[in-house]
Amino acid sequence: MILLGAHTGANFAEVFIDVLDKYEIADSLTSITADNASNNSTLAAKVEAILGGHFFASEHLLGCMAHVIN
């Protein structure tokens, strides 16, 4: 998958969902681990909106410990 356009959370989410769908693993998503960039919060919120009931951005977006410590 290629990201076209700006590196926004919304654009990342579209590519991320496409990959999950391609490999038929969207129902298996339990968390997203990322750095603390604001676009990752946007990505998680959009993934929540698309996937519905089993992924909750507020609970399943995890900060990378190395980035948190740094």
Side-chain angles (χ1 to χ4, degrees):
M1 298 285 157
I2 297 173
L3 177 66
L4 300 175
H7 290 185
T8 64
N11 286 341
F12 283 141
E14 294 293 330
V15 172
F16 187 65
I17 293 295
D18 286 348
V19 171
L20 293 176
D21 288 344
K22 177 180 178 180
Y23 292 102
E24 299 177 354
I25 57 173
D27 291 337
S28 299
L29 181 65
T30 58
S31 66
I32 297 173
T33 302
D35 64 14
N36 295 324
S38 62
N39 59 352
N40 290 323
S41 297
T42 306
L43 170 140
K46 183 150 184 167
V47 169
E48 178 181 344
I50 293 170
L51 292 183
H54 79 277
F55 180 85
F56 302 99
S58 63
E59 298 174 16
H60 299 126
L61 176 62
L62 307 174
C64 168
M65 186 55 71
H67 284 94
V68 171
I69 292 171
N70 190 22

